[in-house]
């Protein structure tokens, strides 16, 4: 399951100005009579009471940025964590996992955003342009014995963890000889013919094309395609093949995971093969892989109906 949230437009009220005369006067009196700790207190209170303006000379305090807390790069790493970013991540986490996870990305972002807001670096309704344009995403991938949760901001992963789940045997799909083979059944065949292959981007693209053709919609609910994409992204960060997610873990019980299904046609096979080739560095399809299984199913269907 995958949830991506984008912020709703919201009017932003101008920040109210907070007078700090009394604080400054008291701190100045304390500074004359007490130790150097009072001067530190003065600087802290003034920075908290006065909103930070771009270009201010005081560089003693900086906003908490994404790059300070997460292994991200590019423009996102330099962005201060904003309250609306954290709110979107909290909603996405709660939707997928039932609640905000203690110590998870949403909780970390909420704490950082609160500090940035308190220091005047961001407003209560602020959202970074990266999160605003590309959203935040929490993806759930179920594989036998475990559930992988991947959390991203603007397409960059900020958190990933696994949870153990009860292992259940996927039901074996019974084929009726006179019936046409469906796309879901062809994908289940791939789990047998190339099940030990680590999922890569070409597999994910082929599975997405298969799901689109099976459901008849270019907008698919989170399912096989989301699981395959998450698996491919995970595998790119893993060196050893034995630690990578395999095709049989994604495609086992594929028919039940599809929102709809249909008999495989030659046009389906060609479209799925094209998607797999476009995302393969060698511009080829994998023997026994998704495209090959769908093509075989299309040929069998033509023979049955011919």
């Amino acid at each position: 399951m995958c949830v991506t949230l984008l912020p709703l437009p919201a009017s932003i009220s101008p920040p109210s100005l907070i007078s700090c005369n009394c604080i400054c006067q008291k701190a100045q009196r304390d500074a004359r009579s007490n130790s150097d700790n009072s001067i530190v207190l003065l600087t802290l209170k003034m920075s908290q009471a006065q909103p930070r303006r771009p270009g201010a000379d005081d560089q003693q305090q900086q906003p908490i940025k994404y790059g300070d807390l997460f292994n991200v790069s590019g423009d996102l790493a330099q962005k201060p964590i904003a309250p609306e970013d954290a709110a979107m991540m909290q909603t996405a986490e709660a939707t997928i996992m039932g609640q905000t996870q203690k110590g998870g990305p949403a909780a970390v972002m909420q704490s950082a955003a609160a500090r940035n807001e308190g220091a005047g670096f961001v407003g209560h309704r602020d959202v970074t342009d990266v999160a605003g344009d590309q959203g935040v995403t929490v993806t759930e991938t179920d594989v036998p014995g475990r559930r992988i949760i991947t959390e991203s901001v603007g397409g960059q992963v900020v958190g990933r963890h696994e949870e153990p789940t009860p292992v259940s045997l996927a039901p074996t799909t019974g084929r009726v000889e006179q019936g046409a083979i469906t796309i879901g059944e062809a994908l289940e065949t791939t789990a047998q013919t190339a099940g030990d292959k680590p999922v890569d981007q070409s597999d994910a693209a082929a599975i997405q094309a298969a799901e689109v053709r099976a459901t008849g919609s270019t907008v698919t609910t989170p399912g096989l395609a989301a699981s395959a994409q998450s698996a491919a992204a995970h595998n790119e960060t893993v060196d050893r093949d034995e630690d990578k997610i395999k095709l049989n873990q994604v495609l086992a019980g594929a028919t039940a995971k599809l929102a709809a299904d249909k008999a495989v046609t030659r046009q389906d096979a060609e479209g799925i093969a094209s998607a797999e080739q476009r995302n393969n560095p060698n511009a080829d399809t994998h023997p026994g892989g998704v495209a090959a299984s769908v093509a075989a199913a299309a040929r069998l269907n033509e023979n049955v109906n011919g």
Side-chain angles (χ1 to χ4, degrees):
M1 183 176 183
C2 172
V3 170
T4 301
L5 296 182
L6 294 167
L8 294 174
S11 59
I12 302 176
S13 303
S16 58
L17 298 179
I18 303 174
S19 172
C20 66
N21 290 339
C22 60
I23 295 175
C24 295
Q25 291 170 1
K26 180 179 183 305
Q28 289 169 351
R29 290 197 301 271
D30 293 343
R32 288 194 294 270
S33 58
N34 296 330
S35 66
D36 291 342
N37 288 337
S38 298
I39 299 176
V40 176
L41 180 62
L42 169 64
T43 303
L44 177 59
K45 286 188 174 180
M46 289 182 67
S47 66
Q48 289 177 334
Q50 294 178 330
R52 179 68 168 247
R53 293 185 182 135
D57 293 334
D58 180 13
Q59 297 296 323
Q60 293 183 3
Q61 187 178 6
Q62 295 290 329
I64 302 174
K65 303 172 184 176
Y66 277 97
D68 297 330
L69 301 178
F70 304 111
N71 185 23
V72 296
S73 60
D75 192 33
L76 179 64
Q78 303 303 317
K79 297 293 183 181
I81 299 177
E84 282 298 304
D85 299 15
M88 288 190 291
M89 184 61 80
Q90 285 180 316
T91 301
E93 269 193 14
T95 300
I96 293 294
M97 293 177 275
Q99 62 182 358
T100 301
Q101 300 301 294
K102 183 178 180 180
V108 172
M109 289 170 63
Q110 180 60 43
S111 177
R115 293 194 180 193
N116 286 344
E117 183 181 352
F121 292 109
V122 296
H124 185 63
R125 300 294 297 172
D126 280 1
V127 58
T128 63
D129 53 357
V130 176
D133 294 340
Q134 302 180 47
V136 303
T137 303
V138 178
T139 301
E140 174 189 56
T141 303
D142 290 314
V143 298
R146 56 193 170 130
R147 180 171 75 145
I148 302 172
I149 305 295
T150 305
E151 302 182 56
S152 307
V153 176
Q156 296 197 52
V157 175
V158 296
R160 180 185 286 117
H161 68 277
E162 299 182 10
E163 300 176 354
T165 58
V167 178
S168 59
L169 296 177
T172 303
T173 302
R175 279 276 295 113
V176 179
E177 281 300 314
Q178 63 269 27
I181 304 173
T182 67
I183 290 177
E185 290 173 327
L187 293 176
E188 290 180 354
T189 299
T190 308
Q192 301 297 321
T193 58
D196 291 335
K197 179 185 182 297
V199 181
D200 60 23
Q201 290 297 336
S202 67
D203 300 318
I207 292 169
Q208 181 180 30
E211 186 170 20
V212 167
R213 289 178 173 274
T215 59
S217 172
T218 57
V219 180
T220 60
T221 57
L224 283 177
S227 296
Q229 184 58 53
S230 179
H234 168 80
N235 288 348
E236 289 176 348
T237 67
V238 177
D239 293 329
R240 302 191 311 169
D241 279 355
E242 54 264 38
D243 295 329
K244 295 182 178 181
I245 300 173
K246 309 301 194 301
L247 276 173
N248 59 5
Q249 294 174 295
V250 174
L251 295 179
T255 301
K257 297 175 184 177
L258 290 172
D261 204 358
K262 65 181 287 290
V264 181
T265 66
R266 179 188 295 270
Q267 290 74 25
D268 296 328
E270 291 173 350
I272 293 166
S274 176
E276 187 171 324
Q277 288 172 335
R278 286 196 307 269
N279 290 272
N280 187 315
N282 298 321
D284 200 0
T285 59
H286 182 76
V290 175
S293 296
V294 174
R299 288 193 296 270
L300 287 172
N301 286 347
E302 286 183 346
N303 291 337
V304 170
N305 296 326

